[in-house]
């Protein structure tokens, strides 16, 4: 499929018959003997890498680059293409060794033991949201009642923002990422968040506490990062961890409500942390919510199973393709909470793998082990065909999820 | 079995510390992996192998002795 005339459009829309699996065209390309190209928004035709084994090999290959400023880089949207030349060096646009240095300056708060220490508080936050939903009107919209508030509250606490500001965070981060917002609303909300975070950072530099903003403030004071980098980084943490975790909670609930056998299995094993941890990995694989691919550019010619990716060619790694690659996950279309799923690429693979993955895991372990145990009668309040999927964002999600109990 | 850990490659994703807490930890200042047990015995072999498999930076290698 190297003929650009027939390169399929990307991202490819998932089919309503099978809303969790990648589009049929992606699965065909995964099965094909040779790699192929896709056509993106600007008419360019980057390579699509969707096999699990190919992604493992290439995403750690120093011959590929994440430098979004290079001509030919396959940008996700027009907006990103326009913004790319103006970005400072970030963990999202640098290669090693610069990337390694930057990532190590922001990694501390996301360490496994530090997010584990947050677990009791995340549990308490989650239980509070379930209490509120149960005390409110029935049916309720799970996206608004649980999905979106969980990550906002957790990140507000992590960053060290005062609790009374969580509504400001919620409103503005919803607006900044919502599929319903206009471009002006998105820009205004992002600006409001940026100004808020800059003020918070100044405050934390003056009066440090035990939180992420204070830690970044310390690094600014020590000359390890600039004030502006710290603001951009904190806003990235807020946005990146918001829509994604919210989607996983809402979509995961929908997937489980459509599969009563797996839901019962999860509910019956809610008190087994090993079972729950594996269930989270399988739901990460099965849903693969980051559905617009991760983007790179080739530094040199690279041979992939007999086809040459030329230096300067754009490359897209289709994560759902790898997570539904039958060679790695037999019977991939089946949600099986007991399958070994940890090798999935839902968080990407290679040195740019998700910074917040440990935090996401704890949030999701708490969510999935609590929600169905506490509300065993949870059910959809509308026929499942009426649930609206949100396809346009970086992460795949739901506009609403009306539930009853 | 001996653990070979290529520290400059480590991006501190922490997956090794999560799946193999008996073999790996993360250092406090930046989350870079620390090898706790350089020669894991049979009781730690499975988790060490899983850590090598999930490391996103391919910074962990296990050498059979």
């Amino acid at each position: 499929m190297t003929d650009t005339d027939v390169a399929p459009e990307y991202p490819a829309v998932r089919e309503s018959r099978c809303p969790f699996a990648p589009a049929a065209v992606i699965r065909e390309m995964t099965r094909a003997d040779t790699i192929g190209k896709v056509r993106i928004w600007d008419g360019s035709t980057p390579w699509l890498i969707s096999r699990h084994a190919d992604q493992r090999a290439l995403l750690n290959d120093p011959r590929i680059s994440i430098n979004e400023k290079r001509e030919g880089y396959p940008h996700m949207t027009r907006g990103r293409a326009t913004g790319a030349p103006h970005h400072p060096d970030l963990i999202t646009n640098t290669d090693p060794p610069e990337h390694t240095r930057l990532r190590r300056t922001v990694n501390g708060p996301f360490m496994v033991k530090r997010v584990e220490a947050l677990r009791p508080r995340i549990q308490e936050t989650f239980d509070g949201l379930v209490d509120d939903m149960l005390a409110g009107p029935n049916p309720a919209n799970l996206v608004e009642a649980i999905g979106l508030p969980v990550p906002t509250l957790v990140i507000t606490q992590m960053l060290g923002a005062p609790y009374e500001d969580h509504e400001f965070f919620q409103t503005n981060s919803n607006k900044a990422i919502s599929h319903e917002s206009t471009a002006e609303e998105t820009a205004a909300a992002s600006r409001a968040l940026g100004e808020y975070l800059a003020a918070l950072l100044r405050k934390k530099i003056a009066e440090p506490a035990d939180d992420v903003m204070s830690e970044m403030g310390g690094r600014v004071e020590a000359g390890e990062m600039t004030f502006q980098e710290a603001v951009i980084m904190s806003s990235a943490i807020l946005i990146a961890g918001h829509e994604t975790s919210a989607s996983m909670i809402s979509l995961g609930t929908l997937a489980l409500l459509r599969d009563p056998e797996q839901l019962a299995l999860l509910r019956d094993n809610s008190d087994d942390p090993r079972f729950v941890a594996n269930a989270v990995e399988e739901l990460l694989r099965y849903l693969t919510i980051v559905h617009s691919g991760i983007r790179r550019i080739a530094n040199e010619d690279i041979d992939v199973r007999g086809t040459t990716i030329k230096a300067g060619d754009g490359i897209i790694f289709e994560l759902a393709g790898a997570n539904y690659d039958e060679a790695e996950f037999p019977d991939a279309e089946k949600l099986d909470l007991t399958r070994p799923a940890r090798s999935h690429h839902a968080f990407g693979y290679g040195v740019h793998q998700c910074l917040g993955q440990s935090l996401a895991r704890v949030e999701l372990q708490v969510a999935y082990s609590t929600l169905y145990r506490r509300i065993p009668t949870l059910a959809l309040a509308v026929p499942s065909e009426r649930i609206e999927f949100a396809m346009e964002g970086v992460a795949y999600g739901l506009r609403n999820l009306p539930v009853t109990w | 079995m001996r653990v070979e850990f290529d520290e400059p490659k480590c991006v501190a994703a922490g997956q090794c510390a999560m799946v193999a807490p008996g073999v790996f930890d993360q250092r406090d200042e930046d989350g870079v992996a620390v090898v706790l047990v350089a020669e894991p015995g049979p009781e730690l072999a499975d988790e060490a192998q899983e850590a090598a498999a999930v490391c996103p930076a391919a910074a962990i290698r296990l050498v059979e002795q």
Side-chain angles (χ1 to χ4, degrees), chain A residues 19-20 141-144 147-148 174 177-180 242-258 287 289 291 372 380 382-393 395-403:
Chain A
F20 304 118
N141 177 4
L142 193 96
V143 174
E144 273 175 25
L148 287 168
N174 280 354
I177 61 167
S178 168
H179 303 285
E180 312 287 337
H242 187 192
E243 183 187 22
T244 46
S245 296
S247 285
M248 277 303 298
I249 293 171
S250 306
L251 264 186
T253 299
L254 177 62
L256 289 163
L257 289 174
R258 287 167 57 135
L287 300 170
I289 54 161
H291 69 151
Y372 322 118
L380 292 180
V382 297
S384 66
E385 315 82 74
R386 296 241 321 265
I387 307 288
E388 284 184 73
F389 289 85
M391 305 279 194
E392 318 83 89
Y396 174 63
L398 293 178
R399 289 182 200 282
N400 52 57
L401 184 62
V403 292

Side-chain angles (χ1 to χ4, degrees), chain A residues 17-30:
Chain A
R17 181 185 59 79
C18 191
F20 304 118
V25 60
I26 301 291
R27 303 204 66 191
E28 274 165 37
M29 289 180 81
T30 308

Side-chain angles (χ1 to χ4, degrees), chain A residues 39-293:
Chain A
R39 180 179 302 275
I40 61 171
W41 63 275
D42 62 355
S44 67
T45 52
W47 295 99
L48 188 89
I49 304 293
S50 62
R51 280 199 187 179
H52 190 274
D54 290 345
Q55 293 191 358
R56 290 248 146 172
L58 284 172
L59 281 167
N60 265 322
D61 191 319
R63 293 174 296 175
I64 67 160
S65 167
I66 199 171
N67 184 352
E68 60 180 2
K69 295 175 189 185
R70 282 186 53 185
E71 182 72 32
Y73 186 89
H75 292 283
M76 213 169 280
T77 60
R78 184 183 304 276
R80 289 190 178 223
T82 315
H86 310 291
H87 293 157
D89 283 357
L90 299 166
I91 52 171
T92 48
N93 63 7
T94 50
D95 299 316
E98 177 64 1
H99 168 264
T100 316
R101 187 190 70 75
L102 287 170
R103 179 147 171 156
R104 288 179 182 188
T105 66
V106 293
N107 196 63
F110 298 98
M111 283 165 58
V112 173
K113 55 193 159 196
R114 287 184 58 185
V115 296
E116 268 307 321
L118 298 175
R119 188 185 287 268
R121 230 172 135 189
I122 295 174
Q123 181 71 53
E124 202 180 304
T125 302
F126 195 88
D127 279 320
L129 290 167
V130 174
D131 292 340
D132 291 347
M133 187 173 90
L134 291 176
N138 181 357
N141 177 4
L142 193 96
V143 174
E144 273 175 25
I146 309 272
L148 287 168
V150 170
T152 321
L153 291 170
V154 169
I155 295 168
T156 311
Q157 291 164 5
M158 251 187 109
L159 288 176
Y163 180 77
E164 55 270 27
D165 293 340
H166 79 276
E167 281 197 14
F168 168 86
F169 264 103
Q170 190 112 310
T171 312
N172 283 290
S173 47
N174 280 354
K175 273 201 194 129
I177 61 167
S178 168
H179 303 285
E180 312 287 337
S181 300
T182 64
E184 290 76 24
E185 283 171 336
T186 305
S190 307
R191 202 163 45 241
L193 282 174
E195 284 164 10
Y196 176 92
L197 290 167
L200 184 63
L201 182 61
R202 270 190 286 275
K203 201 173 114 194
K204 298 288 179 181
I205 288 174
E207 295 164 52
D210 182 20
D211 52 52
V212 171
M213 291 298 271
S214 301
E215 195 164 319
M216 281 203 270
R219 290 186 186 271
V220 171
E221 290 288 276
E224 291 172 26
M225 66 200 298
T226 68
F227 188 89
Q228 196 51 31
E229 279 169 356
V231 172
I232 292 176
M233 195 58 218
S234 51
S235 139
I237 289 170
L238 187 67
I239 303 278
H242 187 192
E243 183 187 22
T244 46
S245 296
S247 285
M248 277 303 298
I249 293 171
S250 306
L251 264 186
T253 299
L254 177 62
L256 289 163
L257 289 174
R258 287 167 57 135
D259 194 333
E261 199 185 305
Q262 292 294 309
L263 176 58
L265 194 61
L266 177 55
R267 192 188 289 122
D268 295 345
N269 290 284
S270 291
D271 55 356
D272 176 353
R274 288 180 79 93
F275 184 93
V276 171
N278 195 69
V280 166
E281 302 305 319
E282 168 66 352
L283 281 155
L284 285 163
R285 178 199 73 80
Y286 183 71
L287 300 170
T288 318
I289 54 161
V290 175
H291 69 151
S292 32

